[in-house]
Amino acid sequence: MQNVVTEVSQVFLDPTFLAIQFLNGLQLASLLFLLSVGLSVVYGLMNFINLAHGTLYMLGAYIGLSVARGSGSFWLALIVAPIFIAALAAVFHALLLRRMQAASPMKQILVTFGLIYVGLDVVRYIWGDYSHSIPAPDFFAGSVHLLGEVYPSYRLFMIGLGWFVFIALYYGLERTRLGAVVRAGVDNREVAMSLGLNIELAFFLVFCLGCGLAGLAGVVAAPVLSVYPGMDMSILVLTLIVVVIGGPGSLRGAALGAFLIGMFETFGQVFFPAIASVIVYALMAVILLARPGGLLPVRPS
Amino acid sequence: MKEPLLFVKDLHAWYGDSHILQGISLSVWQGRASAILGRNGAGKTTALKTIMGLIQRHSGLVRLGTLRLDELPAYRVARAGVAYVPEARGVFPSLTVQENLTVSARPTQGDWSIERVFDTFPRLAERRGHKGKWLSGGEQQMLAIARALMTNGRLLMLDDPTEGLAPNIVEELNNLLRDLLDDGLSLLLVEQNFEFATNLSNEIYVLGKGRVQWSGSASDLIANGDVTRTWLGV
Ligand SMILES: Nc1ncnc2c1ncn2[C@@H]1O[C@H](COP(=O)(O)OP(=O)(O)OP(=O)(O)O)[C@@H](O)[C@H]1O
Ligand SMILES: [Mg+2]
């Protein structure tokens, strides 16, 4: 008995093991970031709670699946699916979101919750009930040697992509004209409009971009997590938690929230598998008690 | 008399169930200043916001030159040539001074450029890299005006610009607005500071209970003790 405990603790405290888990945490964080940034922006900027954000992720994965199968190219899927999802989001915005923006949160929740089921049925109807997978692109199909371990290089690609998107968005927000317009609109929407800025259009573009990123996340996740009806629900809750603890509407908040949840979820599963799912809720509760607006709120209260 | 640049007729606006503007009419002429005076809560801010399109216009006419503004969203009103300095300035706190200016710039329409703004407001030039939230009240007011000028509008609407400013800054503001008038800009001024407003403005509109209770020239108003006592409490 004594022996087993020491052996187990030796494995857990092995630096290589911890480093690998850290990478796994980063990989989950990367996915959660791609997903939560759009949800966060829509909630924080447009006051709209879009529970169907995960549905866009699932649709992105399925469209990516079809494109990858049809063309044989993962990279084409990675480009086409987000564009398709962004276009779908534009239609969704025109038909529904514009009208729902003034509606009560309860109505928004009910309508977008209904959309989750619509999405589920659509996916089942078109692609069936079975679970599928998109093979990783050849270039990242193998493994790399890292600290004496083998680690799938595709997972490193996921981590890199998360960072790339974060930096690109950060640059876009801080250094481009559209970014400045969005920041002005977040600071003071009325004043921004009265200076001639079309804030509604700017936020609309941001909305489409955020939804497109959810589609991107779907394709990116497909080689690692499988593609199946309901894959949206399994990640929606974590995504919502990321939004809430990071601070709705905040880019850096979404990144920080994704990092924390990615780590706590991953290490929780490893060290305390029995209570792993409770850990992220506990973390959320603690953070919200200390900072009700999230860690990096976009508007300091 | 020539046609006014800004022409407002029988404008109504509501906040929910309260009928705040109950049909106001006013005009601003090219190169001249009109002022809206009135007690707290008279509806002065509401009047400017309604002209701007920030509050749903219930009924009435708003025209800039020959262009109808009353159907346009706020950003189109701004692009049509109405520059607005809101109550409490509304400087964008997380944008730098320079970004506050460039984000609203429409250089093709007129001759206010960032260089000219920095020439006119050297203090803003010194603080160009500072975030809006770190500016003093006077600097914020200068920035709010400079930012409005950057839109190169034909009409400048200012909501209580002297509020909270030290006397020397008020004097500076007075000189600036005079220069702008000499340049041909038109002003619509909302003011609590009676002297400041009557000093600058040609036409005065006294607002009370959501209506224009009196209008006329500044000198007529100063001479009219009844009006100033009843509607302004001066
Ligand atoms: N957002 C709002 N919702 C409801 N009522 C409002 C709102 N803003 C202003 N009011 C009401 O409308 C009336 C006019 O307000 P307004 O701000 O236009 O007055 P004002 O003349 O600008 O006053 P002040 O000199 O204090 O700035 C007031 O009775 C005020 O209580
Ligand atoms: Mg006011």
Side-chain angles (χ1 to χ4, degrees), chain A residues 160-247:
Chain A
L161 186 70
W163 279 103
F164 173 77
V165 170
F166 173 64
I167 291 166
L169 290 178
Y170 195 82
Y171 179 87
L173 192 62
E174 296 294 327
R175 291 280 176 274
T176 67
R177 162 98 194 146
L178 177 63
V181 172
V182 167
R183 283 183 294 140
V186 171
D187 273 358
N188 195 329
R189 190 184 172 119
E190 266 200 353
V191 171
M193 289 192 299
S194 66
L195 290 167
L197 307 182
N198 190 348
I199 296 302
E200 216 164 296
L201 176 66
F203 283 7
F204 167 73
L205 294 174
V206 169
F207 170 76
C208 293
L209 178 69
C211 292
L213 288 176
L216 181 74
V219 184
V220 168
V224 176
L225 315 166
S226 47
V227 182
Y228 59 96
M231 64 183 282
D232 51 338
M233 290 308 278
S234 60
I235 203 148
L236 180 66
V237 173
L238 285 185
T239 308
L240 285 168
I241 294 176
V242 166
V243 170
V244 169
I245 69 171

Side-chain angles (χ1 to χ4, degrees), chain A residues 5-116:
Chain A
V5 171
T6 19
E7 219 166 83
V8 166
S9 67
Q10 264 168 4
V11 170
F12 282 167
L13 296 179
D14 173 14
T16 308
F17 176 78
L18 292 179
I20 294 295
Q21 293 309 327
F22 183 77
L23 286 176
N24 286 341
L26 278 184
Q27 177 239 304
L28 178 59
S30 185
L31 196 61
L32 287 174
F33 171 72
L34 291 178
L35 264 169
S36 59
V37 71
L39 187 63
S40 177
V41 157
V42 176
Y43 180 39
L45 270 50
M46 303 162 107
N47 272 322
F48 188 76
I49 303 169
N50 180 17
L51 288 185
H53 195 71
T55 302
L56 299 172
Y57 161 77
M58 178 171 67
L59 284 175
Y62 272 103
I63 288 161
L65 177 74
S66 290
V67 173
R69 282 192 178 156
S71 70
S73 165
F74 172 85
W75 300 113
L76 191 65
L78 196 70
I79 293 166
V80 171
I83 293 173
F84 186 93
I85 296 298
L88 186 71
V91 174
F92 173 61
H93 184 277
L95 293 182
L96 203 66
L97 204 143
R98 267 171 84 122
R99 281 162 229 216
M100 295 281 313
Q101 232 165 324
S104 69
M106 200 59 209
K107 279 188 187 151
Q108 299 178 349
I109 286 174
L110 285 174
V111 167
T112 56
F113 198 69
L115 284 174
I116 293 180

Side-chain angles (χ1 to χ4, degrees), chain B residues 75-149:
Chain B
Y75 77 95
R76 298 271 308 273
V77 172
R79 291 180 189 183
V82 181
Y84 177 51
V85 179
E87 194 170 35
R89 289 104 201 204
V91 162
F92 299 123
S94 64
L95 271 62
T96 63
V97 167
Q98 178 139 357
E99 284 174 334
N100 263 279
L101 293 166
T102 50
V103 81
S104 52
R106 271 195 306 288
T108 49
Q109 277 184 16
D111 42 20
W112 279 97
S113 61
I114 192 122
E115 291 80 22
R116 181 162 170 210
V117 160
F118 283 154
D119 252 16
T120 314
F121 306 95
R123 266 196 311 250
L124 294 182
E126 286 165 29
R127 284 163 178 66
R128 67 177 77 194
H130 292 221
K131 293 257 155 115
K133 61 185 157 193
W134 304 126
L135 299 183
S136 73
E139 288 164 352
Q140 286 193 22
Q141 190 57 270
M142 291 305 159
L143 178 55
I145 293 173
R147 184 179 63 177
L149 292 173

Side-chain angles (χ1 to χ4, degrees), chain B residues 2 8 16 50 57 59 84 102 123 130 144 188 194 209 225 233:
Chain B
K2 263 177 52 189
V8 176
T50 309
R57 308 141 181 125
S59 65
Y84 177 51
T102 50
R123 266 196 311 250
H130 292 221
L188 179 57
F194 181 80
K209 299 186 174 167

